[in-house]
Amino acid sequence: MKYLITLKALEPFLFGGEDTYGTLGDKTNGTYLVKSRQFPQQSALLGMLKKEIMTQAGVLTRKIRGEWIDKKDKEDAKKLTGTQKFDILATQTQDFGVIKSLSPLFLMNEKKSFIKKVDIDSYSYKDGLLKGYNPKKDIYDNFVSTKTHTKLSSSDIFQPIQQTGNKKNGGDNSLFKKTTYLLRDNFVFAFYLDVDFELKSSLITLGADRSKFLMQVKESSDSVQYEDKNGYLTLLSDAYITLENIAQHCDFAVTSEISFRTLQNKKHVTQHNKFQKSKKVNLYEKGSVFINPSQDLLQNLNNTNCQKIGLNIYSYKQGDK
């Protein structure tokens, strides 16, 4: 079945990056300054969906003291969500059970869809230069309507919430300051899902603070549609590109990068499970634009595992992926 999934934030959210609560200046244990990203990782959406599908199917037991799958339900759980966590470095095709694919996360307001995109349309490109480019204006802080090309900035969509306090058991380095977000007005997160399961609307949690979101499910066969008026390649999602010198694979590009990690569960028999971060890779951030990309770049973007969970999705005049 194919669905449009919307996520309405019911409380401030904290979508993690490299920074975690810890000692100021300690690269291993984190920093006392924490700021949420605007979007969760696609792998976080995948994890949320796996948990929700198992919960709705009755194979995941959720109690105050924790969550677990009873021995009698393990085979059913495997069929529902597979046995693999998403691995961006995997060379074999990964299987996530009934979850066939999900689209990149985008924003909706009423029935209007918005994507993040660098504001290259305010300038004219010629011979390697953006005519009229103003370095004082943040070209990266830009969101556009997929149909009308109406432009918005982050402040039109995201309301920052700042909080200071003391980290529990933090000792001499207990002070922290964090910035979370709420979505303004009628904005919600949204994505399309292809799944062999009858999913129902529910209340879910997402992010480092396990913030509550109202997940509403509606049958839909649509997809994220956007066409750049100049025919430029636009990343609709973050993208894992392994080409070393991107400048050799396009005429011009306006890009930003974002780090990507997942948490890997190390199971123990006699103690609580431990989590460690996977190897860090850098992704080209959603909204980055490439002018006249090479065939090598297009082929590099076509990563089956990434595209299955909504990474490496792009729009280009030669055909949308």
Side-chain angles (χ1 to χ4, degrees), residues 65-124:
R65 65 179 184 274
E67 302 171 345
W68 65 88
I69 300 171
D70 292 330
K71 187 175 181 179
K72 64 181 178 63
D73 295 321
K74 285 187 177 180
E75 288 304 315
D76 288 338
K78 289 179 182 179
K79 292 177 182 177
L80 285 169
T81 61
T83 59
Q84 298 174 306
K85 282 194 170 185
F86 174 70
D87 182 358
I88 202 167
L89 302 177
T91 56
Q92 301 294 321
T93 301
Q94 293 193 279
D95 175 53
F96 305 117
V98 297
I99 301 172
K100 303 306 177 184
S101 66
L102 53 150
S103 79
L105 196 68
F106 58 99
L107 292 154
M108 290 190 74
N109 190 320
E110 302 296 343
K111 294 184 178 181
K112 296 179 181 178
S113 299
F114 291 84
I115 62 167
K116 184 177 177 67
K117 183 194 174 187
V118 295
D119 189 18
I120 196 171
D121 296 331
S122 291
Y123 313 99
S124 58

Side-chain angles (χ1 to χ4, degrees), residues 110-161:
E110 302 296 343
K111 294 184 178 181
K112 296 179 181 178
S113 299
F114 291 84
I115 62 167
K116 184 177 177 67
K117 183 194 174 187
V118 295
D119 189 18
I120 196 171
D121 296 331
S122 291
Y123 313 99
S124 58
Y125 168 77
K126 186 177 181 180
D127 299 328
L129 296 173
L130 288 181
K131 186 177 180 181
Y133 173 65
N134 181 2
K136 294 183 178 180
K137 182 180 178 181
D138 187 356
I139 195 172
Y140 299 99
D141 183 17
N142 190 59
F143 295 81
V144 296
S145 165
T146 56
K147 291 185 178 180
T148 66
H149 292 250
T150 300
K151 297 179 183 179
L152 297 175
S153 65
S154 294
S155 60
D156 297 317
I157 303 170
F158 298 93
Q159 177 185 350
I161 309 291

Side-chain angles (χ1 to χ4, degrees), residues 88-89 260-262 264 276-282:
I88 202 167
L89 302 177
F260 176 88
R261 291 182 192 258
T262 56
Q264 298 175 329
Q276 67 180 29
K277 291 182 178 180
S278 66
K279 179 180 178 181
K280 184 178 80 170
V281 298
N282 287 323

Side-chain angles (χ1 to χ4, degrees), residues 39-238:
F39 294 89
Q41 293 182 349
Q42 290 290 131
S43 57
L45 293 181
L46 176 65
M48 178 274 291
L49 287 170
K50 285 185 173 185
K51 180 183 293 187
E52 187 59 29
I53 287 170
M54 288 191 292
T55 299
Q56 293 191 17
V59 300
L60 180 65
T61 301
R62 304 176 73 174
K63 301 289 186 181
I64 294 177
R65 65 179 184 274
E67 302 171 345
W68 65 88
I69 300 171
D70 292 330
K71 187 175 181 179
K72 64 181 178 63
D73 295 321
K74 285 187 177 180
E75 288 304 315
D76 288 338
K78 289 179 182 179
K79 292 177 182 177
L80 285 169
T81 61
T83 59
Q84 298 174 306
K85 282 194 170 185
F86 174 70
D87 182 358
I88 202 167
L89 302 177
T91 56
Q92 301 294 321
T93 301
Q94 293 193 279
D95 175 53
F96 305 117
V98 297
I99 301 172
K100 303 306 177 184
S101 66
L102 53 150
S103 79
L105 196 68
F106 58 99
L107 292 154
M108 290 190 74
N109 190 320
E110 302 296 343
K111 294 184 178 181
K112 296 179 181 178
S113 299
F114 291 84
I115 62 167
K116 184 177 177 67
K117 183 194 174 187
V118 295
D119 189 18
I120 196 171
D121 296 331
S122 291
Y123 313 99
S124 58
Y125 168 77
K126 186 177 181 180
D127 299 328
L129 296 173
L130 288 181
K131 186 177 180 181
Y133 173 65
N134 181 2
K136 294 183 178 180
K137 182 180 178 181
D138 187 356
I139 195 172
Y140 299 99
D141 183 17
N142 190 59
F143 295 81
V144 296
S145 165
T146 56
K147 291 185 178 180
T148 66
H149 292 250
T150 300
K151 297 179 183 179
L152 297 175
S153 65
S154 294
S155 60
D156 297 317
I157 303 170
F158 298 93
Q159 177 185 350
I161 309 291
Q162 292 191 342
Q163 177 187 355
T164 57
N166 291 307
K167 183 169 65 70
K168 186 176 180 181
N169 299 323
D172 293 335
N173 296 286
S174 61
L175 182 67
F176 71 84
K177 179 178 180 180
K178 70 176 180 180
T179 302
T180 56
Y181 287 113
L182 276 174
L183 294 176
R184 295 187 186 276
D185 301 325
N186 296 315
F187 277 101
V188 295
F189 292 115
F191 63 97
Y192 293 101
L193 174 66
D194 186 356
V195 60
D196 291 336
F197 184 83
E198 190 174 341
L199 193 65
K200 296 179 174 59
S201 298
S202 180
L203 189 68
I204 62 98
T205 59
L206 197 62
D209 288 345
R210 295 178 60 83
S211 301
K212 293 182 178 63
F213 288 79
L214 176 62
M215 181 180 78
Q216 294 186 302
V217 179
K218 179 182 178 182
E219 287 191 37
S220 175
S221 58
D222 291 340
S223 60
V224 184
Q225 297 289 335
Y226 176 76
E227 184 176 346
D228 182 88
K229 62 182 181 181
N230 294 304
Y232 302 153
L233 186 153
T234 303
L235 291 185
L236 303 179
S237 70
D238 299 333

